[in-house]
Amino acid sequence: MSGQDQAAGLRKWANQQRQEQQADAPLDVAPAEYVSETMRESPLLAPTESPVVSPVMVAPPKPKTPLVVVGLPGSGASNVRKVKARLGQWSALGRSWAGDPDDWEVRIVMADADNLPHWRDNYPRWALWISSDADAFAAMYRTLRQLREGGGPNRLLALHEPHLPRQGLLDNLRGAAEYYLKMELLVLAR
């Protein structure tokens, strides 16, 4: 028998199988909803019960929580990934407020933006990205001062590396923001 004859025979057999299944199915049930005889005879179902097919409910996507971040150079996607990675680190440390990093809508804003009052009025969650390099205090204080002068928020989360000790940079920056700028920098304990 040639390969072509064999393929024709298989197609014919497959068509007969489909026709038999369709003939056995009730007329008012679409083929996708047809319940096979083996399912009807399942010991899990009572003899008079028939399986109930319920539609799959898809939950609408959860709205993301906006977080405005200042203190980063530029507003590119790499900075958003850095912030989400940092939130992921906090979440891994058991900080329930951090949740899933993908639940946050991170918006990078420059501290000297002209429309800071608009941002402040529309977005309640703000964070200051704190680097741990040698010039971090001066750069972060300058960012806070620009926020204050531009009408930005008075309260920000200190978004820093989890291993950065509270003593030193974080306490100094928090104290300077409170004393000189009348701003609250929320530094979370380890």
Side-chain angles (χ1 to χ4, degrees):
M1 184 183 266
S2 72
Q4 189 174 15
D5 290 333
Q6 205 173 21
L10 287 173
R11 280 193 298 275
K12 183 178 177 184
W13 176 81
N15 284 334
Q16 286 176 343
Q17 295 296 317
R18 270 190 238 115
Q19 289 173 356
E20 288 175 13
Q21 285 180 349
Q22 289 174 351
D24 291 342
L27 296 177
D28 62 337
V29 177
E33 297 174 346
Y34 177 70
V35 179
S36 72
E37 290 299 318
T38 57
M39 285 185 69
R40 285 188 186 147
E41 296 170 2
S42 170
L44 298 176
L45 299 174
T48 58
E49 290 182 29
S50 63
V52 177
V53 179
S54 62
V56 176
M57 300 298 289
V58 177
K62 180 180 172 185
K64 295 186 179 239
T65 304
L67 176 66
V68 179
V69 180
V70 294
L72 283 164
S75 60
S78 65
N79 284 334
V80 171
R81 282 192 300 272
K82 282 171 42 173
V83 170
K84 286 191 174 192
R86 189 65 47 86
L87 290 169
Q89 290 171 343
W90 282 107
S91 182
L93 288 173
R95 304 286 187 216
S96 60
W97 62 267
D100 182 2
D102 290 330
D103 290 345
W104 293 93
E105 179 185 353
V106 177
R107 296 180 177 228
I108 310 295
V109 174
M110 305 315 293
D112 59 354
D114 293 334
N115 58 350
L116 280 177
H118 167 76
W119 283 96
R120 180 200 63 220
D121 294 343
N122 291 304
Y123 299 97
R125 291 174 184 85
W126 286 68
L128 174 67
W129 179 267
I130 300 176
S131 303
S132 58
D133 59 24
D135 298 324
F137 179 83
M140 298 303 103
Y141 184 78
R142 182 174 33 257
T143 298
L144 289 171
R145 193 182 75 237
Q146 287 173 331
L147 280 175
R148 181 72 174 155
E149 292 170 356
N154 292 325
R155 185 174 194 214
L156 295 100
L157 169 69
L159 194 57
H160 59 86
E161 298 170 11
H163 67 272
L164 194 62
R166 189 176 188 139
Q167 293 176 333
L169 174 63
L170 295 175
D171 273 346
N172 290 343
L173 195 55
R174 185 194 54 74
E178 185 179 341
Y179 185 79
Y180 293 108
L181 301 172
K182 307 298 185 239
M183 296 176 80
E184 182 181 358
L185 186 60
L186 182 59
V187 177
L188 301 174
R190 289 181 81 187

